[in-house]
Amino acid sequence: MKEIDLANNIKEILSTTEQRKLRYASELNWIERWQKLWASDRIRVGVIGVTSSGKSTLINALLGDNLLSVAVRPSSSQLVSCSYAKKRSAVVYFLNGDKKNINDTAELKNTIIQYSDENYNKRNQKQVAQLELSTPKFDLGEDVLLVDSPGLDASGYEIHEKLTLETLLPTVDIVIFVTTVKSEVDKKMKQTLDTIAKYNCPLMIVQNMLDAVRPSVDGKKSASTVAKERMNRVLLTVDQSAIKNKNEVKVAQISAINAMNYRSKTNPSEEEKKAFIASRYENFVTGVKELIKTKRPEIEDQRVKTILEHFYELIQQENERTENLSISLPVDTSLNSIKYDISHALDDTYDAINSVILELQEMYNKYFPVNDTDTNDNQDNFFTRNFLNTFIPNKFKRNYEFDESDITEIKNTVKSFESKVAESVSIFSDKCAATIKKLKLPTRDLWSYNGMPRMPEVSVKTKIITKTKLVDKDGFWNMAKRFFDWGDKGWGKETVQYTESVIDNEATKESVRRYIQRVKNEYAKTLENWHANANSTVVSIQQEVDLRIAAIKEKEKQVLDANDWKQIRKDLEKCFKQYVGQARQKEKTTKTYVNKVTDIKDTTKLIKVQYKYVQLYDAAEKYLYAVQKSTFNYAMQIKQRENRPAIVISNSSDNLSDFLFRFYQIKKTDFENKQIYYLTDKLSVACAPTEIQLKSIFKDTRGLNVFLLINGLQFHTEFETSLRKKVQENLSDNDALFLTVQDFEVLANGNAISECLRSIRMEQCASNGLILISHNNPIYNISIIHAQTTDVKLKEETMFYNALTSKFPKLVNEVTKKRINNILRS
């Protein structure tokens, strides 16, 4: 490391004699302080990712061990970092400063999950600040620290994402941005890239889940061609972003699940080895290592520059003293002002955040206070009551019916609170960065990062109730009876039962209470943690200033030997010349970067086969379609929705193509966003429709079967939620909504079938429809329909397995049985 060598050379020059040691004690302390920090420092690679993009799976692949929870709900309130060690181990750092070492045992993974998974550490009750995982198979090198971050792109969390990125990016050297091959490239990605551009971080974009890419339904594009088109969309977004050195951005498409399965096993099978080679993981690692190799000398050069500038100032000061020994060396007044300004900036930020709470209290002063009995929180009751009074309007404390406007009002208030916090933190961060720059120090070496927890969500709770109504009986005589029923006695009619979704007032009230309570608790913890981290940065800056002031004052006490100084200056300038020469030579050398992406070659080969095999293939296709269609028709029969006009809606043109081919045998791939296509008199398609287009569709046609195609792993993301909400707002009582899962294979690979389907079922139960699964194997669709229409018990479950195996022996194997089990128990 060049900076360490330079520091040692300077130390040797300044400590040759006892007189030099005394006079330059502060300079020697300064060098020792930075040398100690740099000697133990590692290249920091930050990992950010779209929610449910397989980020944890990718990190496990890099660890070569399945240690990190890949649950749908990992705990996001703590920082997770990964590194190399000779043995598997973990260190848990707690908010109170304690730490716990977990050694390599058979139960290591289960022990880690107790701290890292939301199911075991709900709302971070165990007060975990950071978790560091280490393995001997970590693939990025011994001097690299991989830093994980909370998932991005969750609905309603735009400000949370901004806080996460604004606090993480200044602390890392390289960024890995994980998305999926199937994710739509939208303005959200561009916004993330623009934020990364602000900090000029070298960037690797990973399109994960390469194993889920399939050929186009019309057979004109192979899986490789489809993947290449999706990479081109990302490259186009990079070109449109604010990133300066666009040709330095690397893009890789990989299958993290296949890489993890291979690298985490001691004796992987031949099949797993082939899947690993096809995963392109090694190309991805090579790309990251190239970024590290490029970044490492940049960090060294910045540190060398810091040392040189510091000692050039020393030379200037000592030259002034040599020219006139009678003068006193003045202390730079700007140094004292730096200490004052940065300290007050921290206090101002903390006060600004606290003032937000007071503003909210004033906003809600018109509402009645909450009694002590209204909360179970025995700790800090006074603060809790005031905080709850801030948020809960008077009508919430009485038997008023809740509606969406009430929830929207609360969420907007909390969002306003979060926005002001983000603004205050951003202002402080800018001041810190400017101060560090003024001191001519490396920003990354003084900045600390703490993860931002995700805020809870709240919504109106509903319940299904049974009601009765009179409906007309069929037949001529019943029509005649109704004609003569002047007394409205119900002649020619019959009473039928129906279900209706209504607001559950008590459940909603409890949800609101818990939501507000958790917001208070999360922000109280977050702000304290942020203040502690921000304060450590401030203390580091103040220590730097104190050392510089002490150095000047100490020199006043020591006699300056002009001759000795001349020798010191000569030796320092000789030493510096070597490093300055290297820096200038480097500036003259221009680098040509090529945007290195994984070279995707279409390996599809045309081969001649006998006609009978073509016939066999066609027969298999027809068989699958027949089962798909009969299953689809059965679902419509159950819900009494046969022969209704249908609209298929999705944000993804690829998903539309897959759905239409599987259930209608329509081969169409040229869908464009914000377009509506009328394929038949009873079937239309909307690709990423606008709100106006949706209103038009539902206004013109009533009694629609609405097939909304969704990605289960991204069910709660802004991208998915926004369209789903627009569709639900336009549904009439006569319409039926069928939420159709398009990424079932990805759910299965990520062990997320049950949890995702439960989330979808909670939303689906309020509408007159079913959940469907669009997959090449129709068995899964049969299973999800069965699970929704039958009270599945263990005995019936076994009978269902047997019936499927008997009727569809070629479609059911051990893998499908496990997946069916997850479906039935969701």
Side-chain angles (χ1 to χ4, degrees):
M1 295 173 75
K2 289 189 292 185
E3 69 272 28
I4 301 296
D5 294 338
L6 175 59
N8 286 331
N9 289 338
I10 293 173
K11 280 165 61 178
E12 185 178 349
I13 293 169
L14 297 184
S15 51
T16 304
T17 65
E18 287 301 318
Q19 184 181 357
R20 289 185 183 183
K21 285 182 184 178
L22 286 172
R23 181 166 183 81
Y24 302 110
S26 293
E27 272 74 21
L28 291 170
N29 287 338
W30 184 89
I31 293 176
E32 284 283 354
R33 176 169 168 261
W34 284 106
Q35 207 171 6
K36 191 179 294 183
L37 173 66
W38 293 335
S40 60
D41 190 36
R42 293 174 283 187
I43 300 287
R44 300 174 205 153
V45 178
V47 184
I48 62 175
V50 176
T51 306
S52 303
S53 59
K55 181 162 60 77
S56 297
T57 306
L58 176 61
I59 292 173
N60 279 333
L62 287 167
L63 284 168
D65 210 321
N66 190 8
L67 290 180
L68 190 62
S69 172
V70 293
V72 180
R73 296 175 65 224
S75 180
S76 60
S77 58
Q78 58 204 230
L79 179 66
V80 178
S81 56
C82 308
S83 60
Y84 169 86
K86 292 182 178 179
K87 290 185 178 180
R88 293 196 321 161
S89 62
V91 183
V92 183
Y93 297 90
F94 297 94
L95 293 173
N96 63 3
D98 294 342
K99 72 175 183 177
K100 179 180 180 179
N101 293 304
I102 307 173
N103 296 322
D104 186 10
T105 65
E107 292 299 311
L108 177 62
K109 179 181 177 181
N110 292 334
T111 307
I112 291 169
I113 287 176
Q114 300 299 318
Y115 299 100
S116 64
D117 194 309
E118 184 71 15
N119 293 317
Y120 300 94
N121 185 18
K122 196 172 183 180
R123 300 174 188 172
N124 198 22
Q125 292 173 344
K126 296 178 182 177
Q127 299 289 289
V128 178
Q130 181 178 345
L131 189 66
E132 183 166 350
L133 312 177
S134 302
T135 71
K137 294 173 71 176
F138 181 64
D139 225 356
L140 295 184
E142 296 182 21
D143 65 338
V144 174
L145 183 69
L146 194 73
V147 183
D148 190 17
S149 69
L152 305 177
D153 200 33
S155 175
Y157 294 118
E158 297 85 359
I159 301 167
H160 169 269
E161 294 171 18
K162 179 178 171 60
L163 272 171
T164 296
L165 291 174
E166 292 279 2
T167 53
L168 171 70
L169 292 174
T171 71
V172 298
D173 305 304
I174 294 162
V175 174
I176 298 175
F177 177 26
V178 186
T179 181
T180 71
V181 181
K182 298 198 74 175
S183 294
E184 292 300 303
V185 179
D186 59 355
K187 64 179 182 179
K188 194 81 178 182
M189 175 179 280
K190 183 178 177 299
Q191 289 171 357
T192 303
L193 294 179
D194 288 345
T195 305
I196 295 171
K198 178 180 174 183
Y199 295 93
N200 202 28
C201 293
L203 174 63
M204 164 70 83
I205 300 175
V206 175
Q207 288 185 289
N208 191 18
M209 303 183 185
L210 182 62
D211 51 292
V213 178
R214 298 288 181 267
S216 62
V217 296
D218 59 6
K220 294 180 179 178
K221 298 175 185 176
S222 67
S224 296
T225 303
V226 172
K228 193 164 188 175
E229 285 182 355
R230 291 175 182 174
M231 177 180 281
N232 287 336
R233 294 177 197 172
V234 171
L235 292 173
L236 180 62
T237 307
V238 171
D239 287 337
Q240 294 169 347
S241 72
I243 291 177
K244 294 178 182 177
N245 301 317
K246 295 178 173 62
N247 59 343
E248 295 180 29
V249 176
K250 294 179 181 289
V251 183
Q253 292 180 326
I254 70 167
S255 169
I257 185 73
N258 288 340
M260 183 188 76
N261 287 340
Y262 176 79
R263 296 201 74 240
S264 61
K265 291 183 180 178
T266 308
N267 297 305
S269 64
E270 274 301 313
E271 189 175 323
E272 287 170 330
K273 184 177 180 180
K274 289 178 182 177
F276 172 72
I277 294 170
S279 73
R280 298 182 185 150
Y281 166 83
E282 291 181 319
N283 290 335
F284 154 71
V285 170
T286 300
V288 176
K289 286 183 176 179
E290 286 176 0
L291 291 177
I292 292 170
K293 187 178 179 180
T294 303
K295 188 66 180 179
R296 187 177 284 111
E298 288 182 15
I299 295 171
E300 291 178 354
D301 290 343
Q302 178 59 49
R303 290 170 175 173
V304 166
K305 184 180 177 183
T306 297
I307 296 173
L308 292 176
E309 288 180 342
H310 182 84
F311 282 95
Y312 276 137
E313 287 184 8
L314 172 67
I315 290 173
Q316 185 178 351
Q317 292 169 3
E318 293 292 71
N319 281 342
E320 290 176 6
R321 290 293 311 278
T322 306
E323 291 169 6
N324 191 346
L325 295 176
S326 63
I327 66 168
S328 296
L329 201 61
V331 175
D332 188 352
T333 55
S334 66
L335 290 176
N336 281 319
S337 67
I338 286 174
K339 282 184 64 177
Y340 176 87
D341 291 343
I342 197 64
S343 178
H344 276 71
L346 179 60
D347 293 340
D348 290 345
T349 305
Y350 199 78
D351 292 342
I353 295 170
N354 282 331
S355 71
V356 173
I357 298 173
L358 296 177
E359 289 174 21
L360 291 170
Q361 287 174 340
E362 291 174 7
M363 187 185 302
Y364 285 94
N365 276 342
K366 58 183 177 180
Y367 302 118
F368 295 120
V370 180
N371 296 327
D372 291 358
T373 56
D374 288 340
T375 177
N376 295 322
D377 189 4
N378 294 322
Q379 296 180 348
D380 197 12
N381 247 359
F382 175 78
F383 182 77
T384 300
R385 290 196 302 272
N386 283 334
F387 194 91
L388 291 174
N389 290 338
T390 296
F391 283 97
I392 303 184
N394 182 35
K395 61 181 176 181
F396 289 2
K397 303 161 199 169
R398 301 181 183 179
N399 294 324
Y400 282 80
E401 284 285 321
F402 288 106
D403 56 32
E404 287 291 346
S405 63
D406 299 321
I407 301 299
T408 300
E409 183 180 356
I410 293 177
K411 289 166 79 172
N412 286 341
T413 304
V414 173
K415 205 166 187 177
S416 171
F417 174 42
E418 194 172 35
S419 181
K420 290 180 180 179
V421 170
E423 184 181 359
S424 298
V425 170
S426 182
I427 291 171
F428 172 76
S429 298
D430 289 343
K431 286 183 179 177
C432 260
T435 301
I436 293 170
K437 188 175 181 181
K438 190 173 183 179
L439 291 170
K440 300 175 182 177
L441 296 171
T443 303
R444 69 179 296 284
D445 294 330
L446 283 177
W447 212 279
S448 56
Y449 167 68
N450 58 288
M452 294 289 176
R454 176 155 292 161
M455 291 298 108
E457 190 54 273
V458 64
S459 61
V460 170
K461 302 298 179 183
T462 59
K463 59 183 177 182
I464 305 297
I465 61 172
T466 302
K467 290 185 175 183
T468 60
K469 62 181 178 180
L470 288 174
V471 297
D472 296 344
K473 289 184 178 180
D474 295 332
F476 175 79
W477 289 111
N478 287 318
M479 185 173 67
K481 287 179 183 180
R482 289 194 294 274
F483 180 78
F484 291 105
D485 186 14
W486 300 323
D488 200 20
K489 295 179 181 178
W491 294 350
K493 296 185 178 184
E494 64 179 339
T495 302
V496 297
Q497 289 187 337
Y498 69 98
T499 59
E500 184 177 312
S501 175
V502 298
I503 293 173
D504 188 334
N505 199 47
E506 287 303 313
T508 303
K509 182 177 180 180
E510 178 62 16
S511 175
V512 169
R513 188 190 71 79
R514 288 176 180 272
Y515 169 71
I516 296 164
Q517 188 75 359
R518 189 176 168 196
V519 166
K520 187 271 292 186
N521 292 336
E522 290 290 355
Y523 264 110
K525 286 189 295 185
T526 301
L527 296 180
E528 288 303 319
N529 293 340
W530 173 83
H531 185 265
N533 277 274
N535 189 59
S536 69
T537 300
V538 169
V539 168
S540 296
I541 291 172
Q542 290 175 334
Q543 287 175 347
E544 177 68 23
V545 171
D546 288 339
L547 278 173
R548 295 188 183 192
I549 292 174
I552 294 171
K553 290 182 176 179
E554 283 176 8
K555 291 182 185 62
E556 290 297 313
K557 301 174 185 177
Q558 305 295 327
V559 176
L560 175 63
D561 185 329
N563 290 327
D564 189 35
W565 166 245
K566 288 179 182 178
Q567 185 59 46
I568 292 172
R569 183 178 63 193
K570 181 180 177 182
D571 293 340
L572 286 176
E573 288 176 344
K574 182 181 178 182
C575 174
F576 294 169
K577 188 175 181 181
Q578 170 187 351
Y579 291 92
V580 172
Q582 290 176 1
R584 285 178 180 167
Q585 184 62 36
K586 189 171 182 179
E587 286 175 8
K588 290 178 181 178
T589 305
T590 57
K591 292 183 179 179
T592 303
Y593 290 92
V594 178
N595 189 349
K596 292 185 180 178
V597 300
T598 305
D599 185 18
I600 303 173
K601 296 179 180 178
D602 192 340
T603 55
T604 307
K605 294 181 180 179
L606 294 176
I607 58 174
K608 290 183 178 181
V609 296
Q610 295 180 26
Y611 182 63
K612 64 180 181 180
Y613 294 121
V614 176
Q615 288 180 309
L616 186 63
Y617 176 82
D618 289 341
E621 286 278 297
K622 289 176 181 177
Y623 170 71
L624 284 175
Y625 172 67
V627 179
Q628 294 276 25
K629 190 63 179 176
S630 62
T631 305
F632 184 77
N633 291 339
Y634 174 64
M636 297 305 105
Q637 280 181 348
I638 290 174
K639 303 305 292 186
Q640 299 179 351
R641 305 295 300 182
E642 308 104 301
N643 301 316
R644 300 289 186 100
I647 175 76
V648 187
I649 304 172
S650 177
N651 274 325
S652 166
S653 60
D654 296 323
N655 286 348
L656 289 171
S657 298
D658 290 344
F659 179 88
L660 291 173
F661 179 69
R662 283 177 187 144
F663 297 113
Y664 289 95
Q665 280 290 283
I666 295 174
K667 293 184 177 181
K668 183 175 174 60
T669 60
D670 55 343
F671 295 108
E672 294 183 4
N673 287 350
K674 299 179 182 179
Q675 295 293 326
I676 299 173
Y677 301 84
Y678 297 94
L679 304 183
T680 69
D681 59 339
K682 283 194 172 183
L683 177 63
S684 52
V685 170
C687 185
T690 65
E691 197 162 352
I692 294 174
Q693 287 175 328
L694 282 174
K695 287 183 183 297
S696 172
I697 293 168
F698 288 97
K699 182 181 178 181
D700 295 341
T701 312
R702 293 294 177 181
L704 277 168
N705 288 339
V706 182
F707 298 97
L708 180 58
L709 313 186
I710 59 173
N711 287 325
L713 271 180
Q714 297 183 2
F715 188 69
H716 295 293
T717 65
E718 180 71 24
F719 190 67
E720 289 283 334
T721 305
S722 177
L723 179 60
R724 197 163 66 246
K725 188 175 180 181
K726 290 175 188 174
V727 170
Q728 289 168 337
E729 287 172 350
N730 285 284
L731 288 174
S732 69
D733 294 337
N734 295 324
D735 298 328
L737 177 63
F738 295 87
L739 294 177
T740 307
V741 179
Q742 289 292 129
D743 61 338
F744 182 78
E745 190 67 26
V746 177
L747 288 178
N749 288 340
N751 298 319
I753 295 174
S754 295
E755 191 160 356
C756 277
L757 289 181
R758 283 191 202 105
S759 296
I760 298 169
R761 287 187 74 167
M762 287 176 66
E763 193 160 319
Q764 176 67 55
C765 68
S767 61
N768 181 27
L770 289 170
I771 300 171
L772 302 177
I773 293 176
S774 177
H775 190 274
N776 287 334
N777 191 338
I779 288 297
Y780 302 128
N781 207 19
I782 295 172
S783 302
I784 191 66
I785 294 170
H786 180 72
Q788 295 171 91
T789 55
T790 310
D791 183 15
V792 182
K793 296 178 182 177
L794 185 60
K795 184 178 178 181
E796 285 84 355
E797 190 176 300
T798 305
M799 292 173 61
F800 181 68
Y801 284 142
N802 293 337
L804 284 180
T805 306
S806 174
K807 194 164 186 178
F808 308 105
K810 299 296 183 183
L811 300 179
V812 181
N813 56 32
E814 290 305 313
V815 174
T816 54
K817 280 184 178 180
K818 289 179 182 178
R819 294 179 177 183
I820 292 168
N821 179 59
N822 285 328
I823 292 171
L824 297 179
R825 299 185 182 187
S826 63

